[in-house]
Amino acid sequence: MSGKESPVPLLKDGKRHDGRGPMDLRPIEMKIGILHNADGSAWLKIGKTEVVAAVYGPREPPMKGMVLPDRAVIRCRYHMAPFSTEERKNPAPSRREIELSKVIREALEATILTHLFPRTVIDVFVEVIQADGGTRTAAITAASLALADAGIPMRGLVAGVAVGKVQGKLVLDIDELEDMYGEADMPVAGIPTLNKIVLLQLNGVIEPHEFPQALKMAWEGIKKIHALQKKVLATKYGGEQ
Amino acid sequence: MKQQTEPQRKLVLPGDVVAKGNYTINPKSVMYLYKIDDTIYAAVVGLVEINDNVVTLIPLEGTYIPRPGDIVIGLVENFVITHWQVDINAPYIGILHVSNLLGRPYNPAKDNLKEYLDIGDYIVARIDSFDRTKDPILDVQGKGLGRITEGKIVEIKPSRVPRVIGKKKSMLNVIKGDTGCDIVVGANGRIWIKCPNKDLEDIVTLAIKLIEREAFTSGLTEKVRVLIATEKHERGLI
């Protein structure tokens, strides 16, 4: 979306610059319970993007005044490590990170059954270790796994993926390069078990008639990621099956 | 663990459909299941059991949420004029009224609270009442309740407590029988061990930590037996 030419052709003979087809996700790896001190934690790697999520709570509020009488307060911090990008990123929270923290929090608020824990606080921390596009959707996917690991009641697992448009064609799970030189980036996150969307953003330009197709593609990707999330969780407790 | 896990128990993940149709949720599991129309969904990772159209879910992770009647082990954090504030390893502070501990009316001018319970003391208590609007009220009037004066406290994840106890207290009886120690398991993940000597205390701690670490492996009771036997042998107790 920078208007400049991409250094490599983004789409050539139906293949993307990294050899994927339009509907292919990057390779995904997930782990849960990686942090000892957190109540729940998860690590997720999708392509070169790598995030760690930690969940604490429900716990007593650090300050009395911040709680709500009827439900738990969710606090979310999305943060990019200084070494996560090509050039050093200032570790102080940027405008973008504060905004992403908010949209991730709102996406998670839609799934967590907050009314069960009045007067408490649930803390979600997401640290981006390596950024290569799709960090917000990776953050949501990892955070929902960490919430499940912490045993916090949820309506369902949340998974997210971005759809982009490069050289006039819709593609699934765009990376940094496609985001930078493509025409559009549309992150979507949802609860596949309930068929509900919890996050939908659009950056760039897509035609109105392309939107249903883009959403359908994202949903296909979300379903695949959700299946992986379930597999990771089931493996951890596999001894009980 | 095979002999302990019933065949009809099924692992479910958040969002999974547990039952559809004319089913009701066990009151004990209301936190872990939710209903939309006539479909019951799981909200946490857990084991599901369906008996007579009643759905029960046993969570495998999670913090301790107080429930009236639970026996918990609390740590006195603070006291104010009418009550002690007790950390019960939950998102809510436990309240222990002075009159409940003393069992008689209480005169703030005469009684010095520090003489009865000081900050840092551990107590065994029962959750007397708790709901979403009020912090849990503790009760120490009863057999085996009150201040802890000897032994050791071990903390584990509250979700592993059922494992330490085992089916019909099988695991607890193994540990108690093999070491001769007295063990009180609090529902909030704190365990009070009273042993004849330090070596046995350490062995029980190791056994409990083993259960916490390997809660989801099979043959856990046997592993605990072996651990206790080898540790006893190494320490020259047999």
PDB file of all heavy atoms in Angstrom, chain A residues 58 60 70 115-120 149-150 153-155 193 230 237 240, chain B residues 13 15-16 31 34 43 45 47 61-62 65 91-93 132 135 163 216:
ATOM      1  N   PRO A  58      -8.532 -15.037  36.539  1.00  0.00           N
ATOM      2  CA  PRO A  58      -8.992 -13.815  37.197  1.00  0.00           C
ATOM      3  C   PRO A  58      -8.316 -13.609  38.553  1.00  0.00           C
ATOM      4  O   PRO A  58      -8.171 -14.576  39.292  1.00  0.00           O
ATOM      5  CB  PRO A  58     -10.497 -14.032  37.354  1.00  0.00           C
ATOM      6  CG  PRO A  58     -10.727 -15.475  37.130  1.00  0.00           C
ATOM      7  CD  PRO A  58      -9.602 -15.997  36.350  1.00  0.00           C
ATOM      8  N   GLU A  60      -7.224 -10.666  41.959  1.00  0.00           N
ATOM      9  CA  GLU A  60      -7.603  -9.468  42.695  1.00  0.00           C
ATOM     10  C   GLU A  60      -7.070  -8.237  41.976  1.00  0.00           C
ATOM     11  O   GLU A  60      -5.962  -8.266  41.465  1.00  0.00           O
ATOM     12  CB  GLU A  60      -6.957  -9.504  44.087  1.00  0.00           C
ATOM     13  CG  GLU A  60      -7.802 -10.093  45.164  1.00  0.00           C
ATOM     14  CD  GLU A  60      -7.004 -10.193  46.443  1.00  0.00           C
ATOM     15  OE1 GLU A  60      -6.626  -9.136  46.969  1.00  0.00           O
ATOM     16  OE2 GLU A  60      -6.728 -11.312  46.889  1.00  0.00           O
ATOM     17  N   ASP A  70     -20.135  -5.907  38.020  1.00  0.00           N
ATOM     18  CA  ASP A  70     -20.914  -7.000  37.420  1.00  0.00           C
ATOM     19  C   ASP A  70     -20.084  -7.933  36.560  1.00  0.00           C
ATOM     20  O   ASP A  70     -20.581  -8.957  36.105  1.00  0.00           O
ATOM     21  CB  ASP A  70     -22.058  -6.429  36.590  1.00  0.00           C
ATOM     22  CG  ASP A  70     -21.562  -5.543  35.466  1.00  0.00           C
ATOM     23  OD1 ASP A  70     -20.445  -5.004  35.605  1.00  0.00           O
ATOM     24  OD2 ASP A  70     -22.273  -5.398  34.455  1.00  0.00           O
ATOM     25  N   HIS A 115     -18.881 -12.144  32.941  1.00  0.00           N
ATOM     26  CA  HIS A 115     -19.879 -11.955  33.997  1.00  0.00           C
ATOM     27  C   HIS A 115     -19.715 -12.957  35.145  1.00  0.00           C
ATOM     28  O   HIS A 115     -20.277 -12.773  36.208  1.00  0.00           O
ATOM     29  CB  HIS A 115     -21.282 -12.066  33.409  1.00  0.00           C
ATOM     30  CG  HIS A 115     -21.585 -13.433  32.888  1.00  0.00           C
ATOM     31  ND1 HIS A 115     -21.272 -13.833  31.612  1.00  0.00           N
ATOM     32  CD2 HIS A 115     -22.128 -14.517  33.484  1.00  0.00           C
ATOM     33  CE1 HIS A 115     -21.631 -15.094  31.445  1.00  0.00           C
ATOM     34  NE2 HIS A 115     -22.153 -15.528  32.563  1.00  0.00           N
ATOM     35  N   LEU A 116     -18.915 -14.007  34.939  1.00  0.00           N
ATOM     36  CA  LEU A 116     -18.728 -15.004  35.990  1.00  0.00           C
ATOM     37  C   LEU A 116     -17.792 -14.518  37.102  1.00  0.00           C
ATOM     38  O   LEU A 116     -17.771 -15.083  38.179  1.00  0.00           O
ATOM     39  CB  LEU A 116     -18.148 -16.287  35.390  1.00  0.00           C
ATOM     40  CG  LEU A 116     -19.045 -17.061  34.438  1.00  0.00           C
ATOM     41  CD1 LEU A 116     -18.268 -18.190  33.814  1.00  0.00           C
ATOM     42  CD2 LEU A 116     -20.243 -17.606  35.192  1.00  0.00           C
ATOM     43  N   PHE A 117     -16.987 -13.515  36.815  1.00  0.00           N
ATOM     44  CA  PHE A 117     -15.973 -13.093  37.790  1.00  0.00           C
ATOM     45  C   PHE A 117     -16.075 -11.601  38.078  1.00  0.00           C
ATOM     46  O   PHE A 117     -15.186 -10.841  37.731  1.00  0.00           O
ATOM     47  CB  PHE A 117     -14.566 -13.427  37.261  1.00  0.00           C
ATOM     48  CG  PHE A 117     -14.410 -14.839  36.834  1.00  0.00           C
ATOM     49  CD1 PHE A 117     -14.376 -15.179  35.494  1.00  0.00           C
ATOM     50  CD2 PHE A 117     -14.312 -15.847  37.775  1.00  0.00           C
ATOM     51  CE1 PHE A 117     -14.235 -16.491  35.095  1.00  0.00           C
ATOM     52  CE2 PHE A 117     -14.172 -17.163  37.388  1.00  0.00           C
ATOM     53  CZ  PHE A 117     -14.136 -17.484  36.046  1.00  0.00           C
ATOM     54  N   PRO A 118     -17.172 -11.166  38.733  1.00  0.00           N
ATOM     55  CA  PRO A 118     -17.277  -9.745  39.046  1.00  0.00           C
ATOM     56  C   PRO A 118     -16.159  -9.313  39.994  1.00  0.00           C
ATOM     57  O   PRO A 118     -15.669 -10.112  40.785  1.00  0.00           O
ATOM     58  CB  PRO A 118     -18.650  -9.623  39.710  1.00  0.00           C
ATOM     59  CG  PRO A 118     -18.971 -10.984  40.194  1.00  0.00           C
ATOM     60  CD  PRO A 118     -18.309 -11.936  39.261  1.00  0.00           C
ATOM     61  N   ARG A 119     -15.782  -8.074  39.877  1.00  0.00           N
ATOM     62  CA  ARG A 119     -14.777  -7.449  40.759  1.00  0.00           C
ATOM     63  C   ARG A 119     -13.391  -8.078  40.633  1.00  0.00           C
ATOM     64  O   ARG A 119     -12.632  -8.097  41.583  1.00  0.00           O
ATOM     65  CB  ARG A 119     -15.247  -7.493  42.226  1.00  0.00           C
ATOM     66  CG  ARG A 119     -16.522  -6.689  42.462  1.00  0.00           C
ATOM     67  CD  ARG A 119     -17.054  -6.852  43.854  1.00  0.00           C
ATOM     68  NE  ARG A 119     -17.622  -8.147  44.108  1.00  0.00           N
ATOM     69  CZ  ARG A 119     -17.200  -8.962  45.075  1.00  0.00           C
ATOM     70  NH1 ARG A 119     -16.225  -8.597  45.865  1.00  0.00           N
ATOM     71  NH2 ARG A 119     -17.767 -10.139  45.243  1.00  0.00           N
ATOM     72  N   THR A 120     -13.076  -8.636  39.497  1.00  0.00           N
ATOM     73  CA  THR A 120     -11.736  -9.185  39.309  1.00  0.00           C
ATOM     74  C   THR A 120     -11.119  -8.615  38.030  1.00  0.00           C
ATOM     75  O   THR A 120     -11.778  -7.900  37.272  1.00  0.00           O
ATOM     76  CB  THR A 120     -11.749 -10.712  39.198  1.00  0.00           C
ATOM     77  OG1 THR A 120     -12.487 -11.067  38.033  1.00  0.00           O
ATOM     78  CG2 THR A 120     -12.383 -11.372  40.395  1.00  0.00           C
ATOM     79  N   ASP A 149      -5.629 -22.251  28.231  1.00  0.00           N
ATOM     80  CA  ASP A 149      -4.630 -22.872  29.101  1.00  0.00           C
ATOM     81  C   ASP A 149      -4.796 -22.412  30.545  1.00  0.00           C
ATOM     82  O   ASP A 149      -4.522 -23.156  31.485  1.00  0.00           O
ATOM     83  CB  ASP A 149      -3.232 -22.518  28.573  1.00  0.00           C
ATOM     84  CG  ASP A 149      -2.133 -23.233  29.331  1.00  0.00           C
ATOM     85  OD1 ASP A 149      -2.355 -24.405  29.707  1.00  0.00           O
ATOM     86  OD2 ASP A 149      -1.068 -22.637  29.561  1.00  0.00           O
ATOM     87  N   ALA A 150      -5.260 -21.159  30.718  1.00  0.00           N
ATOM     88  CA  ALA A 150      -5.466 -20.639  32.068  1.00  0.00           C
ATOM     89  C   ALA A 150      -6.794 -21.111  32.655  1.00  0.00           C
ATOM     90  O   ALA A 150      -7.073 -20.859  33.823  1.00  0.00           O
ATOM     91  CB  ALA A 150      -5.430 -19.113  32.041  1.00  0.00           C
ATOM     92  N   PRO A 153     -13.232 -19.369  31.434  1.00  0.00           N
ATOM     93  CA  PRO A 153     -14.368 -19.756  30.599  1.00  0.00           C
ATOM     94  C   PRO A 153     -14.563 -18.840  29.392  1.00  0.00           C
ATOM     95  O   PRO A 153     -14.557 -17.616  29.533  1.00  0.00           O
ATOM     96  CB  PRO A 153     -15.561 -19.660  31.555  1.00  0.00           C
ATOM     97  CG  PRO A 153     -14.971 -19.778  32.907  1.00  0.00           C
ATOM     98  CD  PRO A 153     -13.622 -19.152  32.831  1.00  0.00           C
ATOM     99  N   MET A 154     -14.712 -19.458  28.238  1.00  0.00           N
ATOM    100  CA  MET A 154     -14.879 -18.707  26.990  1.00  0.00           C
ATOM    101  C   MET A 154     -16.035 -19.302  26.194  1.00  0.00           C
ATOM    102  O   MET A 154     -16.345 -20.474  26.318  1.00  0.00           O
ATOM    103  CB  MET A 154     -13.635 -18.835  26.119  1.00  0.00           C
ATOM    104  CG  MET A 154     -12.381 -18.265  26.687  1.00  0.00           C
ATOM    105  SD  MET A 154     -11.103 -18.271  25.438  1.00  0.00           S
ATOM    106  CE  MET A 154     -10.640 -19.968  25.440  1.00  0.00           C
ATOM    107  N   ARG A 155     -16.615 -18.473  25.334  1.00  0.00           N
ATOM    108  CA  ARG A 155     -17.671 -18.985  24.448  1.00  0.00           C
ATOM    109  C   ARG A 155     -17.069 -19.931  23.414  1.00  0.00           C
ATOM    110  O   ARG A 155     -17.747 -20.823  22.927  1.00  0.00           O
ATOM    111  CB  ARG A 155     -18.374 -17.829  23.754  1.00  0.00           C
ATOM    112  CG  ARG A 155     -19.201 -17.039  24.737  1.00  0.00           C
ATOM    113  CD  ARG A 155     -20.099 -16.030  24.083  1.00  0.00           C
ATOM    114  NE  ARG A 155     -20.914 -15.408  25.113  1.00  0.00           N
ATOM    115  CZ  ARG A 155     -20.508 -14.386  25.856  1.00  0.00           C
ATOM    116  NH1 ARG A 155     -19.334 -13.836  25.654  1.00  0.00           N
ATOM    117  NH2 ARG A 155     -21.276 -13.895  26.808  1.00  0.00           N
ATOM    118  N   THR A 193     -16.792 -21.969  16.180  1.00  0.00           N
ATOM    119  CA  THR A 193     -17.841 -22.858  16.686  1.00  0.00           C
ATOM    120  C   THR A 193     -19.197 -22.162  16.733  1.00  0.00           C
ATOM    121  O   THR A 193     -20.232 -22.815  16.694  1.00  0.00           O
ATOM    122  CB  THR A 193     -17.480 -23.370  18.085  1.00  0.00           C
ATOM    123  OG1 THR A 193     -16.994 -22.275  18.853  1.00  0.00           O
ATOM    124  CG2 THR A 193     -16.434 -24.458  18.017  1.00  0.00           C
ATOM    125  N   LYS A 230      -7.263 -26.613  18.356  1.00  0.00           N
ATOM    126  CA  LYS A 230      -7.906 -27.733  19.061  1.00  0.00           C
ATOM    127  C   LYS A 230      -6.943 -28.901  19.207  1.00  0.00           C
ATOM    128  O   LYS A 230      -6.897 -29.559  20.246  1.00  0.00           O
ATOM    129  CB  LYS A 230      -9.151 -28.169  18.289  1.00  0.00           C
ATOM    130  CG  LYS A 230     -10.297 -27.218  18.448  1.00  0.00           C
ATOM    131  CD  LYS A 230     -11.528 -27.716  17.745  1.00  0.00           C
ATOM    132  CE  LYS A 230     -12.206 -28.799  18.549  1.00  0.00           C
ATOM    133  NZ  LYS A 230     -13.560 -29.072  18.038  1.00  0.00           N
ATOM    134  N   TYR A 237      -3.710 -32.559  26.872  1.00  0.00           N
ATOM    135  CA  TYR A 237      -4.470 -33.360  27.817  1.00  0.00           C
ATOM    136  C   TYR A 237      -4.768 -34.739  27.251  1.00  0.00           C
ATOM    137  O   TYR A 237      -5.714 -35.399  27.651  1.00  0.00           O
ATOM    138  CB  TYR A 237      -5.773 -32.634  28.175  1.00  0.00           C
ATOM    139  CG  TYR A 237      -5.511 -31.259  28.717  1.00  0.00           C
ATOM    140  CD1 TYR A 237      -5.639 -30.139  27.918  1.00  0.00           C
ATOM    141  CD2 TYR A 237      -5.049 -31.100  30.016  1.00  0.00           C
ATOM    142  CE1 TYR A 237      -5.356 -28.878  28.397  1.00  0.00           C
ATOM    143  CE2 TYR A 237      -4.772 -29.845  30.505  1.00  0.00           C
ATOM    144  CZ  TYR A 237      -4.926 -28.743  29.694  1.00  0.00           C
ATOM    145  OH  TYR A 237      -4.627 -27.508  30.180  1.00  0.00           O
ATOM    146  N   GLU A 240      -5.863 -38.033  28.888  1.00  0.00           N
ATOM    147  CA  GLU A 240      -7.191 -38.189  29.471  1.00  0.00           C
ATOM    148  C   GLU A 240      -8.215 -38.665  28.462  1.00  0.00           C
ATOM    149  O   GLU A 240      -9.334 -38.981  28.821  1.00  0.00           O
ATOM    150  CB  GLU A 240      -7.654 -36.845  30.037  1.00  0.00           C
ATOM    151  CG  GLU A 240      -6.900 -36.412  31.271  1.00  0.00           C
ATOM    152  CD  GLU A 240      -7.342 -37.181  32.488  1.00  0.00           C
ATOM    153  OE1 GLU A 240      -8.432 -37.741  32.456  1.00  0.00           O
ATOM    154  OE2 GLU A 240      -6.573 -37.233  33.453  1.00  0.00           O
TER     155      GLU A 240
ATOM    156  N   LEU B  13     -13.131 -29.114  24.630  1.00  0.00           N
ATOM    157  CA  LEU B  13     -12.390 -27.867  24.533  1.00  0.00           C
ATOM    158  C   LEU B  13     -13.388 -26.709  24.477  1.00  0.00           C
ATOM    159  O   LEU B  13     -14.557 -26.918  24.159  1.00  0.00           O
ATOM    160  CB  LEU B  13     -11.530 -27.892  23.267  1.00  0.00           C
ATOM    161  CG  LEU B  13     -10.583 -29.080  23.156  1.00  0.00           C
ATOM    162  CD1 LEU B  13      -9.895 -29.093  21.807  1.00  0.00           C
ATOM    163  CD2 LEU B  13      -9.547 -29.058  24.265  1.00  0.00           C
ATOM    164  N   GLY B  15     -15.903 -24.127  23.467  1.00  0.00           N
ATOM    165  CA  GLY B  15     -16.688 -23.979  22.250  1.00  0.00           C
ATOM    166  C   GLY B  15     -17.261 -25.279  21.732  1.00  0.00           C
ATOM    167  O   GLY B  15     -18.101 -25.259  20.837  1.00  0.00           O
ATOM    168  N   ASP B  16     -16.816 -26.396  22.267  1.00  0.00           N
ATOM    169  CA  ASP B  16     -17.335 -27.685  21.804  1.00  0.00           C
ATOM    170  C   ASP B  16     -18.788 -27.872  22.222  1.00  0.00           C
ATOM    171  O   ASP B  16     -19.173 -27.495  23.328  1.00  0.00           O
ATOM    172  CB  ASP B  16     -16.510 -28.846  22.404  1.00  0.00           C
ATOM    173  CG  ASP B  16     -15.184 -29.017  21.700  1.00  0.00           C
ATOM    174  OD1 ASP B  16     -14.934 -28.257  20.746  1.00  0.00           O
ATOM    175  OD2 ASP B  16     -14.403 -29.886  22.103  1.00  0.00           O
ATOM    176  N   MET B  31     -20.288 -22.667  35.887  1.00  0.00           N
ATOM    177  CA  MET B  31     -19.221 -21.777  35.434  1.00  0.00           C
ATOM    178  C   MET B  31     -18.549 -22.294  34.170  1.00  0.00           C
ATOM    179  O   MET B  31     -17.919 -21.539  33.445  1.00  0.00           O
ATOM    180  CB  MET B  31     -18.155 -21.683  36.516  1.00  0.00           C
ATOM    181  CG  MET B  31     -18.550 -20.852  37.680  1.00  0.00           C
ATOM    182  SD  MET B  31     -17.103 -20.039  38.295  1.00  0.00           S
ATOM    183  CE  MET B  31     -17.789 -18.552  38.892  1.00  0.00           C
ATOM    184  N   TYR B  34     -22.127 -23.394  29.099  1.00  0.00           N
ATOM    185  CA  TYR B  34     -23.136 -22.376  28.842  1.00  0.00           C
ATOM    186  C   TYR B  34     -24.109 -22.879  27.780  1.00  0.00           C
ATOM    187  O   TYR B  34     -23.803 -23.813  27.043  1.00  0.00           O
ATOM    188  CB  TYR B  34     -22.505 -21.040  28.449  1.00  0.00           C
ATOM    189  CG  TYR B  34     -21.840 -21.008  27.097  1.00  0.00           C
ATOM    190  CD1 TYR B  34     -22.471 -20.442  26.005  1.00  0.00           C
ATOM    191  CD2 TYR B  34     -20.567 -21.532  26.916  1.00  0.00           C
ATOM    192  CE1 TYR B  34     -21.864 -20.407  24.768  1.00  0.00           C
ATOM    193  CE2 TYR B  34     -19.945 -21.497  25.678  1.00  0.00           C
ATOM    194  CZ  TYR B  34     -20.608 -20.936  24.607  1.00  0.00           C
ATOM    195  OH  TYR B  34     -20.011 -20.910  23.380  1.00  0.00           O
ATOM    196  N   ALA B  43     -17.112 -24.318  28.080  1.00  0.00           N
ATOM    197  CA  ALA B  43     -16.440 -23.019  28.095  1.00  0.00           C
ATOM    198  C   ALA B  43     -14.973 -23.148  28.460  1.00  0.00           C
ATOM    199  O   ALA B  43     -14.212 -22.209  28.292  1.00  0.00           O
ATOM    200  CB  ALA B  43     -17.139 -22.079  29.071  1.00  0.00           C
ATOM    201  N   VAL B  45     -11.442 -26.135  29.042  1.00  0.00           N
ATOM    202  CA  VAL B  45     -10.939 -27.480  28.777  1.00  0.00           C
ATOM    203  C   VAL B  45     -11.311 -28.344  29.971  1.00  0.00           C
ATOM    204  O   VAL B  45     -11.024 -27.989  31.113  1.00  0.00           O
ATOM    205  CB  VAL B  45      -9.401 -27.462  28.615  1.00  0.00           C
ATOM    206  CG1 VAL B  45      -8.878 -28.856  28.314  1.00  0.00           C
ATOM    207  CG2 VAL B  45      -8.993 -26.497  27.523  1.00  0.00           C
ATOM    208  N   LEU B  47     -13.309 -32.398  31.435  1.00  0.00           N
ATOM    209  CA  LEU B  47     -13.867 -33.718  31.169  1.00  0.00           C
ATOM    210  C   LEU B  47     -15.369 -33.675  31.405  1.00  0.00           C
ATOM    211  O   LEU B  47     -15.817 -33.185  32.437  1.00  0.00           O
ATOM    212  CB  LEU B  47     -13.223 -34.760  32.087  1.00  0.00           C
ATOM    213  CG  LEU B  47     -11.722 -34.917  31.928  1.00  0.00           C
ATOM    214  CD1 LEU B  47     -11.169 -35.835  32.990  1.00  0.00           C
ATOM    215  CD2 LEU B  47     -11.370 -35.444  30.556  1.00  0.00           C
ATOM    216  N   GLU B  61      -8.107 -26.926  34.180  1.00  0.00           N
ATOM    217  CA  GLU B  61      -7.277 -25.780  34.521  1.00  0.00           C
ATOM    218  C   GLU B  61      -8.177 -24.751  35.190  1.00  0.00           C
ATOM    219  O   GLU B  61      -9.397 -24.877  35.147  1.00  0.00           O
ATOM    220  CB  GLU B  61      -6.666 -25.135  33.263  1.00  0.00           C
ATOM    221  CG  GLU B  61      -5.742 -26.020  32.458  1.00  0.00           C
ATOM    222  CD  GLU B  61      -4.385 -26.223  33.102  1.00  0.00           C
ATOM    223  OE1 GLU B  61      -4.096 -25.546  34.108  1.00  0.00           O
ATOM    224  OE2 GLU B  61      -3.625 -27.054  32.593  1.00  0.00           O
ATOM    225  N   GLY B  62      -7.566 -23.737  35.779  1.00  0.00           N
ATOM    226  CA  GLY B  62      -8.364 -22.644  36.303  1.00  0.00           C
ATOM    227  C   GLY B  62      -7.986 -22.251  37.703  1.00  0.00           C
ATOM    228  O   GLY B  62      -7.403 -23.044  38.455  1.00  0.00           O
ATOM    229  N   ILE B  65     -12.215 -20.740  42.633  1.00  0.00           N
ATOM    230  CA  ILE B  65     -13.348 -19.858  42.907  1.00  0.00           C
ATOM    231  C   ILE B  65     -14.060 -20.436  44.122  1.00  0.00           C
ATOM    232  O   ILE B  65     -14.445 -21.603  44.127  1.00  0.00           O
ATOM    233  CB  ILE B  65     -14.308 -19.796  41.700  1.00  0.00           C
ATOM    234  CG1 ILE B  65     -13.582 -19.260  40.458  1.00  0.00           C
ATOM    235  CG2 ILE B  65     -15.520 -18.930  42.016  1.00  0.00           C
ATOM    236  CD1 ILE B  65     -13.075 -17.843  40.572  1.00  0.00           C
ATOM    237  N   PRO B  91      -9.518 -15.053  43.556  1.00  0.00           N
ATOM    238  CA  PRO B  91      -9.566 -13.633  43.190  1.00  0.00           C
ATOM    239  C   PRO B  91     -10.217 -12.767  44.259  1.00  0.00           C
ATOM    240  O   PRO B  91     -10.201 -11.557  44.150  1.00  0.00           O
ATOM    241  CB  PRO B  91     -10.410 -13.612  41.914  1.00  0.00           C
ATOM    242  CG  PRO B  91     -10.477 -14.996  41.432  1.00  0.00           C
ATOM    243  CD  PRO B  91     -10.294 -15.881  42.614  1.00  0.00           C
ATOM    244  N   TYR B  92     -10.819 -13.397  45.261  1.00  0.00           N
ATOM    245  CA  TYR B  92     -11.506 -12.640  46.306  1.00  0.00           C
ATOM    246  C   TYR B  92     -10.836 -12.885  47.662  1.00  0.00           C
ATOM    247  O   TYR B  92     -10.338 -13.979  47.926  1.00  0.00           O
ATOM    248  CB  TYR B  92     -12.978 -13.062  46.375  1.00  0.00           C
ATOM    249  CG  TYR B  92     -13.662 -13.015  45.030  1.00  0.00           C
ATOM    250  CD1 TYR B  92     -13.798 -14.153  44.247  1.00  0.00           C
ATOM    251  CD2 TYR B  92     -14.136 -11.804  44.538  1.00  0.00           C
ATOM    252  CE1 TYR B  92     -14.408 -14.102  43.005  1.00  0.00           C
ATOM    253  CE2 TYR B  92     -14.739 -11.743  43.294  1.00  0.00           C
ATOM    254  CZ  TYR B  92     -14.878 -12.888  42.538  1.00  0.00           C
ATOM    255  OH  TYR B  92     -15.479 -12.834  41.308  1.00  0.00           O
ATOM    256  N   ILE B  93     -10.870 -11.832  48.522  1.00  0.00           N
ATOM    257  CA  ILE B  93     -10.256 -11.937  49.844  1.00  0.00           C
ATOM    258  C   ILE B  93     -11.232 -12.622  50.800  1.00  0.00           C
ATOM    259  O   ILE B  93     -12.418 -12.287  50.816  1.00  0.00           O
ATOM    260  CB  ILE B  93      -9.898 -10.537  50.375  1.00  0.00           C
ATOM    261  CG1 ILE B  93      -8.819  -9.894  49.482  1.00  0.00           C
ATOM    262  CG2 ILE B  93      -9.428 -10.598  51.813  1.00  0.00           C
ATOM    263  CD1 ILE B  93      -8.546  -8.452  49.829  1.00  0.00           C
ATOM    264  N   ARG B 132     -21.674 -13.503  44.240  1.00  0.00           N
ATOM    265  CA  ARG B 132     -20.959 -12.571  43.386  1.00  0.00           C
ATOM    266  C   ARG B 132     -20.944 -11.146  43.923  1.00  0.00           C
ATOM    267  O   ARG B 132     -20.160 -10.321  43.454  1.00  0.00           O
ATOM    268  CB  ARG B 132     -21.479 -12.595  41.955  1.00  0.00           C
ATOM    269  CG  ARG B 132     -22.968 -12.879  41.819  1.00  0.00           C
ATOM    270  CD  ARG B 132     -23.351 -13.060  40.389  1.00  0.00           C
ATOM    271  NE  ARG B 132     -23.123 -11.868  39.611  1.00  0.00           N
ATOM    272  CZ  ARG B 132     -22.452 -11.826  38.475  1.00  0.00           C
ATOM    273  NH1 ARG B 132     -21.947 -12.918  37.994  1.00  0.00           N
ATOM    274  NH2 ARG B 132     -22.301 -10.713  37.820  1.00  0.00           N
ATOM    275  N   ASP B 135     -17.644 -10.706  49.296  1.00  0.00           N
ATOM    276  CA  ASP B 135     -16.450 -11.520  49.459  1.00  0.00           C
ATOM    277  C   ASP B 135     -16.760 -12.733  50.324  1.00  0.00           C
ATOM    278  O   ASP B 135     -17.676 -12.697  51.144  1.00  0.00           O
ATOM    279  CB  ASP B 135     -15.336 -10.681  50.111  1.00  0.00           C
ATOM    280  CG  ASP B 135     -14.666  -9.769  49.093  1.00  0.00           C
ATOM    281  OD1 ASP B 135     -14.777 -10.082  47.901  1.00  0.00           O
ATOM    282  OD2 ASP B 135     -14.053  -8.773  49.493  1.00  0.00           O
ATOM    283  N   ARG B 163      -6.705 -34.565  41.674  1.00  0.00           N
ATOM    284  CA  ARG B 163      -5.699 -35.599  41.411  1.00  0.00           C
ATOM    285  C   ARG B 163      -4.997 -36.025  42.698  1.00  0.00           C
ATOM    286  O   ARG B 163      -4.717 -37.200  42.898  1.00  0.00           O
ATOM    287  CB  ARG B 163      -4.644 -35.076  40.432  1.00  0.00           C
ATOM    288  CG  ARG B 163      -5.152 -34.907  39.065  1.00  0.00           C
ATOM    289  CD  ARG B 163      -4.990 -36.184  38.274  1.00  0.00           C
ATOM    290  NE  ARG B 163      -5.858 -36.146  37.136  1.00  0.00           N
ATOM    291  CZ  ARG B 163      -6.767 -37.066  36.874  1.00  0.00           C
ATOM    292  NH1 ARG B 163      -6.916 -38.087  37.666  1.00  0.00           N
ATOM    293  NH2 ARG B 163      -7.516 -36.958  35.821  1.00  0.00           N
ATOM    294  N   PHE B 216      -1.678 -35.544  34.184  1.00  0.00           N
ATOM    295  CA  PHE B 216      -2.454 -36.123  33.086  1.00  0.00           C
ATOM    296  C   PHE B 216      -1.814 -37.385  32.518  1.00  0.00           C
ATOM    297  O   PHE B 216      -2.075 -37.763  31.393  1.00  0.00           O
ATOM    298  CB  PHE B 216      -2.659 -35.089  31.983  1.00  0.00           C
ATOM    299  CG  PHE B 216      -3.285 -33.838  32.510  1.00  0.00           C
ATOM    300  CD1 PHE B 216      -2.624 -32.633  32.444  1.00  0.00           C
ATOM    301  CD2 PHE B 216      -4.522 -33.892  33.123  1.00  0.00           C
ATOM    302  CE1 PHE B 216      -3.202 -31.484  32.959  1.00  0.00           C
ATOM    303  CE2 PHE B 216      -5.097 -32.761  33.637  1.00  0.00           C
ATOM    304  CZ  PHE B 216      -4.444 -31.551  33.557  1.00  0.00           C
TER     305      PHE B 216
END
